[in-house]
PDB file of all heavy atoms in Angstrom:
ATOM      1  N   LEU I1327       8.383  12.126 -34.001  1.00  0.00           N
ATOM      2  CA  LEU I1327       9.533  12.156 -33.109  1.00  0.00           C
ATOM      3  C   LEU I1327       9.697  13.521 -32.435  1.00  0.00           C
ATOM      4  O   LEU I1327      10.561  13.672 -31.599  1.00  0.00           O
ATOM      5  CB  LEU I1327      10.807  11.804 -33.875  1.00  0.00           C
ATOM      6  CG  LEU I1327      10.838  10.384 -34.426  1.00  0.00           C
ATOM      7  CD1 LEU I1327      12.084  10.161 -35.260  1.00  0.00           C
ATOM      8  CD2 LEU I1327      10.789   9.356 -33.296  1.00  0.00           C
ATOM      9  N   ILE I1328       8.878  14.501 -32.802  1.00  0.00           N
ATOM     10  CA  ILE I1328       9.067  15.834 -32.229  1.00  0.00           C
ATOM     11  C   ILE I1328       8.897  15.779 -30.717  1.00  0.00           C
ATOM     12  O   ILE I1328       9.624  16.412 -29.975  1.00  0.00           O
ATOM     13  CB  ILE I1328       8.100  16.848 -32.876  1.00  0.00           C
ATOM     14  CG1 ILE I1328       8.632  17.224 -34.266  1.00  0.00           C
ATOM     15  CG2 ILE I1328       7.955  18.090 -32.009  1.00  0.00           C
ATOM     16  CD1 ILE I1328       7.761  18.161 -35.042  1.00  0.00           C
ATOM     17  N   ALA I1329       7.938  14.960 -30.262  1.00  0.00           N
ATOM     18  CA  ALA I1329       7.695  14.881 -28.815  1.00  0.00           C
ATOM     19  C   ALA I1329       8.941  14.396 -28.094  1.00  0.00           C
ATOM     20  O   ALA I1329       9.245  14.836 -26.991  1.00  0.00           O
ATOM     21  CB  ALA I1329       6.518  13.947 -28.538  1.00  0.00           C
ATOM     22  N   THR I1330       9.739  13.497 -28.724  1.00  0.00           N
ATOM     23  CA  THR I1330      10.919  12.968 -28.035  1.00  0.00           C
ATOM     24  C   THR I1330      11.992  14.031 -27.893  1.00  0.00           C
ATOM     25  O   THR I1330      12.882  13.885 -27.076  1.00  0.00           O
ATOM     26  CB  THR I1330      11.500  11.758 -28.776  1.00  0.00           C
ATOM     27  OG1 THR I1330      12.016  12.186 -30.038  1.00  0.00           O
ATOM     28  CG2 THR I1330      10.452  10.693 -28.998  1.00  0.00           C
ATOM     29  N   ASN I1331      11.924  15.099 -28.692  1.00  0.00           N
ATOM     30  CA  ASN I1331      12.910  16.166 -28.550  1.00  0.00           C
ATOM     31  C   ASN I1331      12.746  16.909 -27.235  1.00  0.00           C
ATOM     32  O   ASN I1331      13.630  17.666 -26.846  1.00  0.00           O
ATOM     33  CB  ASN I1331      12.779  17.176 -29.700  1.00  0.00           C
ATOM     34  CG  ASN I1331      13.098  16.564 -31.039  1.00  0.00           C
ATOM     35  OD1 ASN I1331      13.709  15.494 -31.091  1.00  0.00           O
ATOM     36  ND2 ASN I1331      12.703  17.209 -32.110  1.00  0.00           N
ATOM     37  N   PHE I1332      11.612  16.704 -26.589  1.00  0.00           N
ATOM     38  CA  PHE I1332      11.372  17.370 -25.312  1.00  0.00           C
ATOM     39  C   PHE I1332      11.520  16.418 -24.134  1.00  0.00           C
ATOM     40  O   PHE I1332      11.320  16.815 -22.997  1.00  0.00           O
ATOM     41  CB  PHE I1332       9.975  18.005 -25.292  1.00  0.00           C
ATOM     42  CG  PHE I1332       9.860  19.217 -26.177  1.00  0.00           C
ATOM     43  CD1 PHE I1332       9.529  19.094 -27.506  1.00  0.00           C
ATOM     44  CD2 PHE I1332      10.094  20.483 -25.673  1.00  0.00           C
ATOM     45  CE1 PHE I1332       9.447  20.200 -28.329  1.00  0.00           C
ATOM     46  CE2 PHE I1332      10.000  21.603 -26.483  1.00  0.00           C
ATOM     47  CZ  PHE I1332       9.673  21.465 -27.818  1.00  0.00           C
ATOM     48  N   ASP I1333      11.869  15.155 -24.431  1.00  0.00           N
ATOM     49  CA  ASP I1333      12.047  14.206 -23.329  1.00  0.00           C
ATOM     50  C   ASP I1333      13.242  14.610 -22.485  1.00  0.00           C
ATOM     51  O   ASP I1333      14.256  15.057 -23.016  1.00  0.00           O
ATOM     52  CB  ASP I1333      12.289  12.783 -23.869  1.00  0.00           C
ATOM     53  CG  ASP I1333      11.050  12.199 -24.494  1.00  0.00           C
ATOM     54  OD1 ASP I1333       9.966  12.768 -24.281  1.00  0.00           O
ATOM     55  OD2 ASP I1333      11.179  11.182 -25.200  1.00  0.00           O
ATOM     56  N   GLN I1334      13.115  14.392 -21.200  1.00  0.00           N
ATOM     57  CA  GLN I1334      14.237  14.713 -20.313  1.00  0.00           C
ATOM     58  C   GLN I1334      15.302  13.638 -20.401  1.00  0.00           C
ATOM     59  O   GLN I1334      14.993  12.463 -20.559  1.00  0.00           O
ATOM     60  CB  GLN I1334      13.751  14.803 -18.868  1.00  0.00           C
ATOM     61  CG  GLN I1334      12.888  16.005 -18.597  1.00  0.00           C
ATOM     62  CD  GLN I1334      12.387  16.034 -17.170  1.00  0.00           C
ATOM     63  OE1 GLN I1334      12.581  15.088 -16.435  1.00  0.00           O
ATOM     64  NE2 GLN I1334      11.759  17.116 -16.789  1.00  0.00           N
ATOM     65  N   SER I1335      16.537  14.058 -20.293  1.00  0.00           N
ATOM     66  CA  SER I1335      17.632  13.098 -20.174  1.00  0.00           C
ATOM     67  C   SER I1335      17.765  12.726 -18.703  1.00  0.00           C
ATOM     68  O   SER I1335      17.987  13.598 -17.865  1.00  0.00           O
ATOM     69  CB  SER I1335      18.934  13.749 -20.640  1.00  0.00           C
ATOM     70  OG  SER I1335      20.031  13.118 -20.030  1.00  0.00           O
ATOM     71  N   PRO I1336      17.600  11.452 -18.360  1.00  0.00           N
ATOM     72  CA  PRO I1336      17.649  11.088 -16.931  1.00  0.00           C
ATOM     73  C   PRO I1336      18.990  11.426 -16.289  1.00  0.00           C
ATOM     74  O   PRO I1336      19.037  11.869 -15.143  1.00  0.00           O
ATOM     75  CB  PRO I1336      17.398   9.578 -16.927  1.00  0.00           C
ATOM     76  CG  PRO I1336      17.540   9.130 -18.326  1.00  0.00           C
ATOM     77  CD  PRO I1336      17.348  10.302 -19.226  1.00  0.00           C
ATOM     78  N   ASN I1337      20.091  11.286 -17.069  1.00  0.00           N
ATOM     79  CA  ASN I1337      21.405  11.567 -16.470  1.00  0.00           C
ATOM     80  C   ASN I1337      21.612  13.052 -16.260  1.00  0.00           C
ATOM     81  O   ASN I1337      22.016  13.500 -15.192  1.00  0.00           O
ATOM     82  CB  ASN I1337      22.512  11.035 -17.385  1.00  0.00           C
ATOM     83  CG  ASN I1337      22.418   9.556 -17.557  1.00  0.00           C
ATOM     84  OD1 ASN I1337      22.301   8.833 -16.591  1.00  0.00           O
ATOM     85  ND2 ASN I1337      22.412   9.100 -18.795  1.00  0.00           N
ATOM     86  N   LEU I1338      21.315  13.828 -17.301  1.00  0.00           N
ATOM     87  CA  LEU I1338      21.559  15.267 -17.187  1.00  0.00           C
ATOM     88  C   LEU I1338      20.543  15.915 -16.259  1.00  0.00           C
ATOM     89  O   LEU I1338      20.878  16.850 -15.526  1.00  0.00           O
ATOM     90  CB  LEU I1338      21.511  15.919 -18.573  1.00  0.00           C
ATOM     91  CG  LEU I1338      22.682  15.533 -19.477  1.00  0.00           C
ATOM     92  CD1 LEU I1338      22.477  16.087 -20.878  1.00  0.00           C
ATOM     93  CD2 LEU I1338      23.992  16.041 -18.905  1.00  0.00           C
ATOM     94  N   ASP I1339      19.318  15.417 -16.273  1.00  0.00           N
ATOM     95  CA  ASP I1339      18.321  16.003 -15.390  1.00  0.00           C
ATOM     96  C   ASP I1339      18.686  15.772 -13.936  1.00  0.00           C
ATOM     97  O   ASP I1339      18.412  16.595 -13.066  1.00  0.00           O
ATOM     98  CB  ASP I1339      16.945  15.421 -15.697  1.00  0.00           C
ATOM     99  CG  ASP I1339      15.882  16.488 -15.692  1.00  0.00           C
ATOM    100  OD1 ASP I1339      15.882  17.311 -16.635  1.00  0.00           O
ATOM    101  OD2 ASP I1339      15.087  16.528 -14.745  1.00  0.00           O
ATOM    102  N   ASP I1340      19.287  14.633 -13.691  1.00  0.00           N
ATOM    103  CA  ASP I1340      19.767  14.337 -12.335  1.00  0.00           C
ATOM    104  C   ASP I1340      20.814  15.365 -11.930  1.00  0.00           C
ATOM    105  O   ASP I1340      20.839  15.837 -10.804  1.00  0.00           O
ATOM    106  CB  ASP I1340      20.373  12.930 -12.337  1.00  0.00           C
ATOM    107  CG  ASP I1340      20.860  12.529 -10.963  1.00  0.00           C
ATOM    108  OD1 ASP I1340      20.116  12.692 -10.003  1.00  0.00           O
ATOM    109  OD2 ASP I1340      22.003  12.069 -10.859  1.00  0.00           O
ATOM    110  N   LEU I1341      21.680  15.747 -12.876  1.00  0.00           N
ATOM    111  CA  LEU I1341      22.707  16.735 -12.565  1.00  0.00           C
ATOM    112  C   LEU I1341      22.087  18.120 -12.375  1.00  0.00           C
ATOM    113  O   LEU I1341      22.602  18.923 -11.594  1.00  0.00           O
ATOM    114  CB  LEU I1341      23.753  16.794 -13.688  1.00  0.00           C
ATOM    115  CG  LEU I1341      24.627  15.550 -13.842  1.00  0.00           C
ATOM    116  CD1 LEU I1341      25.520  15.662 -15.065  1.00  0.00           C
ATOM    117  CD2 LEU I1341      25.482  15.335 -12.605  1.00  0.00           C
ATOM    118  N   VAL I1342      21.008  18.400 -13.051  1.00  0.00           N
ATOM    119  CA  VAL I1342      20.352  19.698 -12.898  1.00  0.00           C
ATOM    120  C   VAL I1342      19.887  19.880 -11.460  1.00  0.00           C
ATOM    121  O   VAL I1342      19.918  20.959 -10.906  1.00  0.00           O
ATOM    122  CB  VAL I1342      19.144  19.838 -13.861  1.00  0.00           C
ATOM    123  CG1 VAL I1342      18.315  21.071 -13.538  1.00  0.00           C
ATOM    124  CG2 VAL I1342      19.618  19.912 -15.295  1.00  0.00           C
ATOM    125  N   GLN I1343      19.458  18.790 -10.834  1.00  0.00           N
ATOM    126  CA  GLN I1343      18.961  18.872  -9.458  1.00  0.00           C
ATOM    127  C   GLN I1343      20.082  18.885  -8.437  1.00  0.00           C
ATOM    128  O   GLN I1343      19.855  19.069  -7.254  1.00  0.00           O
ATOM    129  CB  GLN I1343      18.068  17.661  -9.136  1.00  0.00           C
ATOM    130  CG  GLN I1343      16.986  17.371 -10.157  1.00  0.00           C
ATOM    131  CD  GLN I1343      15.979  18.486 -10.269  1.00  0.00           C
ATOM    132  OE1 GLN I1343      15.803  19.259  -9.349  1.00  0.00           O
ATOM    133  NE2 GLN I1343      15.339  18.588 -11.413  1.00  0.00           N
ATOM    134  N   SER I1344      21.342  18.625  -8.900  1.00  0.00           N
ATOM    135  CA  SER I1344      22.424  18.437  -7.937  1.00  0.00           C
ATOM    136  C   SER I1344      23.013  19.758  -7.504  1.00  0.00           C
ATOM    137  O   SER I1344      22.937  20.758  -8.187  1.00  0.00           O
ATOM    138  CB  SER I1344      23.538  17.607  -8.570  1.00  0.00           C
ATOM    139  OG  SER I1344      23.056  16.369  -8.950  1.00  0.00           O
ATOM    140  N   GLU I1345      23.638  19.707  -6.328  1.00  0.00           N
ATOM    141  CA  GLU I1345      24.421  20.862  -5.868  1.00  0.00           C
ATOM    142  C   GLU I1345      25.881  20.507  -6.024  1.00  0.00           C
ATOM    143  O   GLU I1345      26.295  19.416  -5.666  1.00  0.00           O
ATOM    144  CB  GLU I1345      24.128  21.145  -4.396  1.00  0.00           C
ATOM    145  CG  GLU I1345      22.758  21.749  -4.179  1.00  0.00           C
ATOM    146  CD  GLU I1345      22.488  21.962  -2.704  1.00  0.00           C
ATOM    147  OE1 GLU I1345      23.439  21.912  -1.917  1.00  0.00           O
ATOM    148  OE2 GLU I1345      21.346  22.173  -2.356  1.00  0.00           O
ATOM    149  N   PHE I1346      26.636  21.406  -6.578  1.00  0.00           N
ATOM    150  CA  PHE I1346      28.043  21.133  -6.800  1.00  0.00           C
ATOM    151  C   PHE I1346      28.895  21.852  -5.766  1.00  0.00           C
ATOM    152  O   PHE I1346      28.459  22.747  -5.080  1.00  0.00           O
ATOM    153  CB  PHE I1346      28.436  21.560  -8.218  1.00  0.00           C
ATOM    154  CG  PHE I1346      27.670  20.806  -9.275  1.00  0.00           C
ATOM    155  CD1 PHE I1346      26.565  21.369  -9.876  1.00  0.00           C
ATOM    156  CD2 PHE I1346      28.032  19.521  -9.626  1.00  0.00           C
ATOM    157  CE1 PHE I1346      25.839  20.660 -10.822  1.00  0.00           C
ATOM    158  CE2 PHE I1346      27.316  18.808 -10.579  1.00  0.00           C
ATOM    159  CZ  PHE I1346      26.213  19.386 -11.178  1.00  0.00           C
ATOM    160  N   ARG I1347      30.096  21.391  -5.687  1.00  0.00           N
ATOM    161  CA  ARG I1347      30.952  21.863  -4.599  1.00  0.00           C
ATOM    162  C   ARG I1347      31.760  23.111  -4.940  1.00  0.00           C
ATOM    163  O   ARG I1347      31.713  23.613  -6.011  1.00  0.00           O
ATOM    164  CB  ARG I1347      31.962  20.762  -4.271  1.00  0.00           C
ATOM    165  CG  ARG I1347      31.256  19.583  -3.796  1.00  0.00           C
ATOM    166  CD  ARG I1347      32.158  18.411  -3.615  1.00  0.00           C
ATOM    167  NE  ARG I1347      31.303  17.271  -3.456  1.00  0.00           N
ATOM    168  CZ  ARG I1347      30.587  17.047  -2.349  1.00  0.00           C
ATOM    169  NH1 ARG I1347      30.697  17.844  -1.326  1.00  0.00           N
ATOM    170  NH2 ARG I1347      29.787  16.027  -2.265  1.00  0.00           N
ATOM    171  N   SER I1348      32.553  23.475  -4.002  1.00  0.00           N
ATOM    172  CA  SER I1348      33.608  24.495  -4.061  1.00  0.00           C
ATOM    173  C   SER I1348      33.154  25.846  -4.608  1.00  0.00           C
ATOM    174  O   SER I1348      32.968  26.779  -3.871  1.00  0.00           O
ATOM    175  CB  SER I1348      34.855  23.981  -4.757  1.00  0.00           C
ATOM    176  OG  SER I1348      34.593  23.518  -6.046  1.00  0.00           O
ATOM    177  N   GLU I1349      32.993  25.998  -5.885  1.00  0.00           N
ATOM    178  CA  GLU I1349      32.698  27.331  -6.397  1.00  0.00           C
ATOM    179  C   GLU I1349      31.259  27.725  -6.048  1.00  0.00           C
ATOM    180  O   GLU I1349      30.362  26.915  -6.059  1.00  0.00           O
ATOM    181  CB  GLU I1349      32.860  27.343  -7.924  1.00  0.00           C
ATOM    182  CG  GLU I1349      34.275  27.124  -8.413  1.00  0.00           C
ATOM    183  CD  GLU I1349      35.156  28.342  -8.173  1.00  0.00           C
ATOM    184  OE1 GLU I1349      34.641  29.416  -7.891  1.00  0.00           O
ATOM    185  OE2 GLU I1349      36.377  28.178  -8.269  1.00  0.00           O
ATOM    186  N   THR I1350      31.090  29.048  -5.785  1.00  0.00           N
ATOM    187  CA  THR I1350      29.748  29.505  -5.436  1.00  0.00           C
ATOM    188  C   THR I1350      29.146  30.220  -6.629  1.00  0.00           C
ATOM    189  O   THR I1350      28.753  31.375  -6.540  1.00  0.00           O
ATOM    190  CB  THR I1350      29.817  30.454  -4.229  1.00  0.00           C
ATOM    191  OG1 THR I1350      30.780  31.478  -4.538  1.00  0.00           O
ATOM    192  CG2 THR I1350      30.229  29.706  -2.984  1.00  0.00           C
ATOM    193  N   ILE I1351      29.099  29.546  -7.748  1.00  0.00           N
ATOM    194  CA  ILE I1351      28.598  30.163  -8.963  1.00  0.00           C
ATOM    195  C   ILE I1351      27.123  30.471  -8.804  1.00  0.00           C
ATOM    196  O   ILE I1351      26.381  29.717  -8.181  1.00  0.00           O
ATOM    197  CB  ILE I1351      28.840  29.228 -10.174  1.00  0.00           C
ATOM    198  CG1 ILE I1351      28.517  29.960 -11.467  1.00  0.00           C
ATOM    199  CG2 ILE I1351      28.005  27.956 -10.064  1.00  0.00           C
ATOM    200  CD1 ILE I1351      28.997  29.225 -12.692  1.00  0.00           C
ATOM    201  N   GLU I1352      26.734  31.601  -9.347  1.00  0.00           N
ATOM    202  CA  GLU I1352      25.321  31.954  -9.346  1.00  0.00           C
ATOM    203  C   GLU I1352      24.931  32.201 -10.797  1.00  0.00           C
ATOM    204  O   GLU I1352      25.453  33.107 -11.447  1.00  0.00           O
ATOM    205  CB  GLU I1352      25.087  33.210  -8.518  1.00  0.00           C
ATOM    206  CG  GLU I1352      23.609  33.539  -8.346  1.00  0.00           C
ATOM    207  CD  GLU I1352      23.378  34.865  -7.638  1.00  0.00           C
ATOM    208  OE1 GLU I1352      24.296  35.306  -6.931  1.00  0.00           O
ATOM    209  OE2 GLU I1352      22.309  35.448  -7.814  1.00  0.00           O
ATOM    210  N   VAL I1353      24.036  31.380 -11.297  1.00  0.00           N
ATOM    211  CA  VAL I1353      23.604  31.516 -12.679  1.00  0.00           C
ATOM    212  C   VAL I1353      22.442  32.495 -12.729  1.00  0.00           C
ATOM    213  O   VAL I1353      21.472  32.370 -11.982  1.00  0.00           O
ATOM    214  CB  VAL I1353      23.209  30.143 -13.254  1.00  0.00           C
ATOM    215  CG1 VAL I1353      22.504  30.308 -14.585  1.00  0.00           C
ATOM    216  CG2 VAL I1353      24.435  29.261 -13.405  1.00  0.00           C
TER     217      VAL I1353
END
Side-chain angles (χ1 to χ4, degrees):
Chain I
L1327 296 175
I1328 283 177
T1330 67
N1331 295 343
F1332 288 88
D1333 290 346
Q1334 290 178 353
S1335 155
N1337 298 311
L1338 291 173
D1339 222 71
D1340 182 48
L1341 292 174
V1342 170
Q1343 310 297 336
S1344 300
E1345 287 178 15
F1346 299 99
R1347 297 173 193 288
S1348 57
E1349 294 287 346
T1350 53
I1351 189 168
E1352 187 186 338
V1353 169

